[in-house]
Amino acid sequence: MSSTHTHHRNETQIVADPTQPTIVITREFDAPPERVFRAYTDPELVVQWLGPRRLTMLIDQYDARNGGSYRYVHRDDDGTEYGFHGVFHEVRPNERIVQTFTYEGFPDGVSLETAVFEDLGGRTRVTGKSLMDSVEARDSMIKSGMERGVREGYERLDELLGRRQTGDAERRTETES
Amino acid sequence: MSSTHTHHRNETQIVADPTQPTIVITREFDAPPERVFRAYTDPELVVQWLGPRRLTMLIDQYDARNGGSYRYVHRDDDGTEYGFHGVFHEVRPNERIVQTFTYEGFPDGVSLETAVFEDLGGRTRVTGKSLMDSVEARDSMIKSGMERGVREGYERLDELLGRRQTGDAERRTETES
């Protein structure tokens, strides 16, 4: 499989419904659900891919289980920080994550985020749905440039999954030898 | 103030938006925000009013603070139980509660519930907004008979606030004597 082919298959689709206050993001990954799910829930992995490249992610708390809380900060080169926090309503291993989400620059705004992990036979399709208060709130989220951050984050996740595959293979070899 | 007048002022308004997946419920209470908020957050009070009269409420957990979880059951006369659970995204004293909500009979359905408490000078207006996955999910919620349960629950809350007012006055007198 050529690298070009891979990029074509793993395109990020971002759809803002014309009438409903939602954003639906679909993306496929060259790894089974277990590994993609782990990259979404293990803070040591999340910190390596979530968000655009130019921002550094700092995790205060990332307790990805039913009823757990999270908070993280994205830091700009000039030290500007953007905080985000929420609560995990449900973390269903390898299948589904439902969480609330607030950008602390707009503390009254809350969205409900659902990620569903589908097994494509060694590959995974992740469908993320953001449900917002109103179509206006959804539109300002789109205008904030989230689209670029999402695409770049998923490219970083591709890279992480690639590295981990190598890493897992290495560890397996070490154990076997 | 006559009882008829009170009932007229404290009417429950339930509005299902024709195009958005929301239900907005507005209700006024003859008590200041501090007391209404406490009735929403103290499990010993919540258990006395939330839901229709014919159901008995049993609370497993009701940790109304940022990041806290809750679960309760409504039990029918014939022993049938209806479970509900979720997480508190934000509990802002006397002002606002944001929480997730799942009816366990439909475990994949999650709504985001926001209650805002407005001070009307000794009285309180509570505006509750339910944000659901889709207009269809919202419509099945309406069809489930939630409307009657909400109205009856608020009547029970009126009664509780009335009783507590008396109780508070009694305690105050005891302390003063």
Side-chain angles (χ1 to χ4, degrees):
Chain A
M1 177 180 13
S2 76
S3 154
T4 313
H5 185 197
T6 305
H7 277 120
H8 182 69
R9 284 217 303 190
N10 294 348
E11 214 174 340
T12 302
Q13 282 199 320
I14 302 182
V15 177
D17 190 285
T19 63
Q20 300 300 295
T22 58
I23 302 173
V24 177
I25 301 175
T26 315
R27 179 62 146 82
E28 295 182 14
F29 296 95
D30 293 323
E34 294 69 24
R35 295 187 58 231
V36 181
F37 180 83
R38 206 186 137 204
Y40 268 78
T41 49
D42 179 342
E44 289 184 27
L45 301 179
V46 173
V47 76
Q48 296 180 51
W49 70 267
L50 190 64
R53 291 184 201 277
R54 64 178 186 85
L55 299 176
T56 305
M57 184 178 186
L58 306 163
I59 294 184
D60 270 358
Q61 186 183 13
Y62 210 90
D63 188 12
R65 55 176 183 86
N66 295 351
S69 293
Y70 71 92
R71 182 175 185 273
Y72 60 84
V73 163
H74 272 131
R75 185 184 288 164
D76 224 328
D77 277 344
D78 68 4
T80 312
E81 292 191 345
Y82 308 90
F84 304 88
H85 71 262
V87 186
F88 292 98
H89 174 79
E90 186 184 16
V91 178
R92 198 185 295 174
N94 309 327
E95 286 185 25
R96 194 170 120 109
I97 301 170
V98 183
Q99 68 197 94
T100 59
F101 175 90
T102 286
Y103 162 50
E104 295 173 0
F106 184 53
D108 281 1
V110 186
S111 63
L112 188 66
E113 312 278 322
T114 304
V116 172
F117 301 77
E118 244 178 295
D119 193 348
L120 305 177
R123 306 182 72 249
T124 304
R125 181 184 298 126
V126 181
T127 305
K129 185 169 183 176
S130 302
L131 179 62
M132 264 144 288
D133 220 22
S134 64
V135 172
E136 294 70 37
R138 191 274 315 275
D139 289 345
S140 13
M141 175 72 105
I142 293 278
K143 276 178 200 145
S144 75
M146 57 81 76
E147 213 167 317
R148 188 184 152 187
V150 167
R151 282 182 208 280
E152 235 178 69
Y154 280 158
E155 282 167 26
R156 296 171 72 196
L157 178 50
D158 282 337
E159 293 161 18
L160 174 66
L161 291 167
R163 281 200 301 281
R164 283 187 63 222
Q165 200 146 34
T166 316
D168 289 351
E170 276 163 8
R171 271 198 296 279
R172 211 172 299 130
T173 310
E174 279 165 25
T175 313
E176 284 164 2
S177 67
Chain B
M1 179 181 7
S2 75
S3 152
T4 315
H5 185 197
T6 305
H7 278 119
H8 182 70
R9 283 218 304 190
N10 294 347
E11 215 174 338
T12 302
Q13 282 199 321
I14 301 181
V15 178
D17 191 284
T19 63
Q20 300 300 296
T22 59
I23 301 172
V24 177
I25 301 175
T26 315
R27 179 62 147 81
E28 294 182 15
F29 296 95
D30 293 322
E34 293 70 23
R35 295 187 58 233
V36 181
F37 180 83
R38 207 187 136 204
Y40 267 78
T41 50
D42 179 341
E44 289 184 24
L45 301 179
V46 173
V47 77
Q48 295 180 51
W49 71 267
L50 190 65
R53 291 183 202 277
R54 64 179 186 86
L55 299 176
T56 305
M57 183 178 187
L58 306 163
I59 294 184
D60 270 359
Q61 185 183 15
Y62 210 90
D63 188 12
R65 55 176 181 84
N66 295 350
S69 294
Y70 71 92
R71 182 175 186 272
Y72 59 85
V73 163
H74 272 131
R75 185 184 288 165
D76 223 328
D77 277 345
D78 68 2
T80 312
E81 293 192 341
Y82 308 90
F84 304 88
H85 71 262
V87 186
F88 292 98
H89 174 79
E90 186 185 16
V91 178
R92 198 185 294 174
N94 310 326
E95 286 184 24
R96 192 171 121 108
I97 300 171
V98 183
Q99 69 198 91
T100 58
F101 175 90
T102 286
Y103 162 50
E104 295 172 1
F106 184 52
D108 281 2
V110 186
S111 63
L112 188 66
E113 312 279 322
T114 304
V116 172
F117 301 78
E118 245 178 296
D119 192 347
L120 305 177
R123 305 181 75 248
T124 304
R125 181 184 297 125
V126 180
T127 305
K129 185 169 182 176
S130 302
L131 179 63
M132 264 143 287
D133 221 25
S134 64
V135 171
E136 294 70 36
R138 190 276 314 276
D139 289 344
S140 16
M141 175 73 103
I142 292 278
K143 276 177 202 147
S144 76
M146 57 82 74
E147 212 167 319
R148 188 185 151 186
V150 167
R151 283 183 208 281
E152 236 177 69
Y154 280 158
E155 283 166 26
R156 297 171 73 196
L157 179 49
D158 281 339
E159 292 160 19
L160 173 67
L161 291 167
R163 280 200 302 280
R164 284 187 61 221
Q165 198 145 35
T166 317
D168 289 353
E170 277 163 8
R171 271 198 295 281
R172 210 173 299 129
T173 311
E174 279 165 25
T175 314
E176 282 163 2
S177 68

